[in-house]
Amino acid sequence: MTTARTSDLWWKSAIVYCLDVETFLDWDGDGTGDLIGLTERIDYLAGIGISCLWLMPFQPSPNRDDGYDITDYYGVDPRLGSLGDFVAMIRTAKDRGMRVIIDLVVNHTSDRHPWFRAARSSRTSPFRDWYVWSDDIPEEPKAEVVFPDAEDSIWAWDEKAGQYYLHHFYSHQPDLNIANPKVREELARIVGFWLELGVDGFRVDAVPFLLETGGIAGNVEIDPHDFLRDLRSFMARRRGDVMMLGEVNLPHKDLQLFFGGPDGDEVQLLFNFILMQSIYLSLARQDARPLAKALRETVRKTDDQQYANFLRNHDELTLDKLTDAQRQEVFDAFGPEPDMQLFGRGLRRRLPSMLDGDEQRIRMAYSLLFSLPGTPVLFYGEEIGMGENLAIEGRLSVRSPMQWTDEKNGGFSSAPPSRLRRPVVEGRFGPLAVNAAAQRRDPDSLLTWMERLIRRRRETPELAWGAWHVLESDVVGVFAHRCDWEGRSVVAVHNLGADPCIVRVELGDVPEGATLDDLLDERGALDEIDGAALELKLGGYGYRWFRIGAADQRTPP
Ligand code: GLC
């Protein structure tokens, strides 16, 4: 048994929890969450079994893209606290056994960053080449506008500079020029700074855009992947166990490049956007095949690579990699109103409301997420089943305040509701019905169930480390897969359909006389296996996890 290895490549079996400090807990009563508030809730997170926090940007920012537009990479926005509060928070998280990663948003700065102010002021400014300029709008690379509601080009004219500048995202987010060695040096310095303060890694924002320099007039030809490679080895020199989690929403065939190809020397973790989108198609159709196909296409080529799996994140639920017809199926099932949709490619809802509050179906979806090979990533509030607030504009609808209690402002803040950073959810998914305090005391709540699920997941390294296979079954709505690691095997079976069924799952190789240990059923029921197939009764949206083989003192209890 090599459980010891799992602490070495810790990100492979982490349970990641993403939160935004400003919407988590407001300690000083000014209407905005803060680092002291987060520190006060570290024990809550540790109690759920979270092993790694991912903090969305908390640096000084004019907040025109919710902090993804930074004006100082070496500070904390004063609304959220101080660097001192940050270090106290990290120290507390570590004491409770949690690692902390932060967003690294360096594809672009805010247009109010001193670097950009200097760059636009004159052609001879030492910062001019920190950004990407052009006299005309270049024909190549093809303009791929990320926010079509607000922008129609990735080039914007700057009166002061007398040139166009590149911005893949909003025009107030000018792209940094990573072909400039000075920029690369500065980015390493930023990374080094936060490592000294104790962070354990970075969620690297918008990686394909960050790396895109090719074809831009005036740029030195570099292999942009060298930049990621250099950053990885820089981090490894500073601290051996640092992890990068890349945001790369591309087809599987393109992902290997970002892991670093056969050498695996770039990012260690990549979000599995394709698997996520297939899950939604499978849920909408109640047909396991799209998910099975996506999992078959998910490959891991080196030992330290891992995928990060998620059902929701802080952005719109992007369905951009589905065909138009497939996307429409998901829209019809989970977000039929135009107001629920965004950019023609996504939904601005949270999972429980998309599943119409069906608790059995919600649990099945999370059981599926936690059983899939990869590192599960939760977005704050998912553990209690929060919904969105469609009254909040655009993607921000899912970034409403965390619901702690049934009191004023859901216990998030003591400020008058009109002063809150963002309004709380109202109605069916609002704090009166959905809050952490009530669920904490209820043995049958989603939160209590989720805690048990996370505990089980942490005790099941096969799922994080094992080789995976999709298993054949004879019911179209049933998804079954198996993970093998160190002579142990775990099988998970999920009924994506609303109807109960009797399903036959082909298990593959099974040792003679092996039994099945039910990992989720608290009674630990053992079933005999008949040959290499398993016949199971599943309720509508039913789910089971099994470990194959005789339970002995070597397997977790
Ligand atoms: C990423 C973030 C998104 C942000 C964008 C620009 O896609 O997830 O929230 O707006 O990058 O930084």
Side-chain angles (χ1 to χ4, degrees):
M1 247 332 290
T2 57
T3 295
R5 274 175 70 204
T6 62
S7 72
D8 194 11
L9 304 179
W10 61 269
W11 55 85
K12 290 188 75 163
S13 22
I15 312 289
V16 181
Y17 187 95
C18 168
L19 66 90
D20 190 351
V21 174
E22 66 176 7
T23 52
F24 205 56
L25 182 65
D26 168 20
W27 199 250
D28 60 8
D30 66 352
T32 297
D34 40 52
L35 284 162
I36 297 183
L38 167 57
T39 311
E40 291 297 324
R41 287 293 178 274
I42 291 285
D43 283 319
Y44 163 82
L45 296 168
I48 304 172
I50 303 304
S51 64
C52 178
L53 295 184
W54 153 22
L55 301 187
M56 288 165 64
F58 51 79
Q59 291 86 351
S61 160
N63 253 320
R64 295 179 70 192
D65 184 13
D66 200 22
Y68 283 86
D69 47 333
I70 292 175
T71 49
D72 175 7
Y73 287 95
Y74 298 101
V76 167
D77 195 303
R79 295 170 311 117
L80 310 180
S82 64
L83 272 180
D85 296 334
F86 181 82
V87 170
M89 181 277 300
I90 291 257
R91 157 90 198 153
T92 311
K94 301 229 155 164
D95 180 64
R96 308 307 202 266
M98 262 187 283
R99 290 184 163 92
V100 179
I101 65 170
I102 65 173
D103 244 293
L104 182 66
V105 188
V106 291
N107 170 67
H108 46 261
T109 67
S110 159
D111 62 356
R112 301 194 199 160
H113 195 292
W115 302 335
F116 190 68
R117 287 179 193 264
R120 78 194 330 180
S121 69
S122 106
R123 289 199 187 221
T124 55
S125 157
F127 289 99
R128 185 72 164 198
D129 277 348
W130 283 44
Y131 296 86
V132 185
W133 301 97
S134 176
D135 287 331
D136 320 289
I137 297 190
E139 280 190 7
E140 292 291 332
K142 257 186 46 202
E144 213 187 82
V145 175
V146 180
F147 301 127
D149 58 331
E151 308 292 343
D152 51 18
S153 166
I154 56 171
W155 293 92
W157 176 255
D158 189 61
E159 205 50 65
K160 220 166 174 186
Q163 276 188 308
Y164 291 93
Y165 63 89
L166 178 70
H167 64 88
H168 277 104
F169 294 87
Y170 292 114
S171 60
H172 58 76
Q173 293 166 318
D175 279 26
L176 281 166
N177 176 16
I178 64 144
N180 180 341
K182 291 222 166 61
V183 170
R184 294 155 75 128
E185 242 169 62
E186 184 70 25
L187 300 191
R189 205 201 316 266
I190 292 166
V191 161
F193 175 81
W194 292 105
L195 290 180
E196 289 299 318
L197 294 190
V199 312
D200 298 283
F202 300 88
R203 179 263 187 189
V204 190
D205 190 54
V207 182
F209 300 101
L210 171 64
L211 297 196
E212 207 200 283
T213 57
I216 295 166
N219 267 354
V220 194
E221 267 314 308
I222 56 155
D223 177 356
H225 283 273
D226 281 346
F227 166 62
L228 267 191
R229 244 172 246 129
D230 289 352
L231 205 57
R232 164 90 175 259
S233 42
F234 171 82
M235 288 182 191
R237 288 196 300 278
R238 291 287 172 100
R239 271 256 315 271
D241 61 349
V242 179
M243 169 273 266
M244 279 194 281
L245 161 57
E247 186 202 18
V248 181
N249 176 10
L250 289 177
H252 279 125
K253 64 178 175 39
D254 301 323
L255 289 185
Q256 284 307 318
L257 206 59
F258 293 85
F259 280 129
D263 295 334
D265 54 358
E266 295 183 33
V267 304
Q268 294 95 334
L269 261 166
L270 284 171
F271 287 109
N272 202 337
F273 277 92
I274 303 294
L275 192 70
M276 180 278 287
Q277 300 189 31
S278 311
I279 291 174
Y280 278 94
L281 185 59
S282 273
L283 289 174
R285 286 185 180 167
Q286 310 203 7
D287 177 343
R289 285 170 295 187
L291 167 55
K293 178 170 178 285
L295 187 59
R296 285 198 183 94
E297 287 167 3
T298 300
V299 289
R300 188 161 61 198
K301 294 204 172 155
T302 66
D303 207 30
D304 60 353
Q305 283 178 11
Q306 182 72 305
Y307 290 92
N309 294 323
F310 63 106
L311 290 176
R312 282 302 282 117
N313 66 9
H314 61 292
D315 288 326
E316 80 278 9
L317 166 68
T318 184
L319 301 164
D320 65 335
K321 299 294 183 287
L322 301 181
T323 66
D324 291 350
Q326 292 170 338
R327 185 179 318 109
Q328 194 56 49
E329 284 179 68
V330 180
F331 280 3
D332 291 346
F334 301 134
E337 308 292 332
D339 187 38
M340 298 166 173
Q341 303 164 8
L342 200 62
F343 309 140
R345 64 170 183 246
L347 292 170
R348 49 191 213 102
R349 308 188 77 191
R350 281 181 178 254
L351 180 87
S353 47
M354 289 193 277
L355 300 188
D356 200 21
D358 183 332
E359 184 111 0
Q360 175 68 30
R361 200 176 185 192
I362 294 167
R363 291 184 189 198
M364 183 275 292
Y366 284 107
S367 163
L368 175 64
L369 174 72
F370 278 82
S371 72
L372 285 170
T375 297
V377 182
L378 285 177
F379 183 50
Y380 75 91
E382 286 197 271
E383 74 277 20
I384 55 170
M386 270 171 60
E388 69 285 344
N389 184 347
L390 289 177
I392 309 174
E393 191 201 341
R395 292 173 298 157
L396 306 181
S397 54
V398 300
R399 304 187 201 174
S400 63
M402 175 67 185
Q403 296 169 192
W404 294 106
T405 68
D406 61 4
E407 294 153 349
K408 183 174 100 172
N409 302 327
F412 160 70
S413 168
S414 59
S418 61
R419 289 197 57 208
L420 294 194
R421 170 73 182 110
R422 242 167 246 141
V424 293
V425 173
E426 284 175 12
R428 190 174 165 203
F429 294 96
L432 287 181
V434 176
N435 69 72
Q439 293 195 25
R440 184 72 186 73
R441 288 169 182 80
D442 175 359
D444 297 321
S445 69
L446 182 65
L447 178 62
T448 309
W449 174 84
M450 189 84 79
E451 278 175 23
R452 285 203 306 271
L453 182 73
I454 291 175
R455 176 177 179 153
R456 180 49 84 188
R457 161 73 200 216
R458 290 180 62 149
E459 292 173 346
T460 313
E462 295 92 333
L463 298 173
W465 281 73
W468 58 81
H469 306 278
V470 176
L471 302 178
E472 298 297 333
S473 86
D474 59 357
V475 175
V476 109
V478 171
F479 176 76
H481 71 289
R482 167 175 171 161
C483 298
D484 301 303
W485 184 64
E486 302 286 333
R488 302 194 328 210
S489 303
V490 168
V491 169
V493 188
H494 290 84
N495 182 7
L496 312 184
D499 298 326
C501 64
I502 295 176
V503 63
R504 194 181 153 84
V505 177
E506 303 298 330
L507 292 177
D509 289 345
V510 173
E512 202 155 323
T515 50
L516 285 181
D517 187 6
D518 190 320
L519 298 178
L520 296 183
D521 187 323
E522 296 302 313
R523 287 163 304 173
L526 289 179
D527 294 28
E528 288 282 324
I529 311 176
D530 172 21
L534 174 65
E535 216 170 69
L536 270 183
K537 255 195 212 158
L538 285 174
Y541 306 126
Y543 52 89
R544 307 279 292 269
W545 297 9
F546 301 102
R547 181 173 277 122
I548 302 178
D552 60 22
Q553 87 283 6
R554 286 166 185 266
T555 50

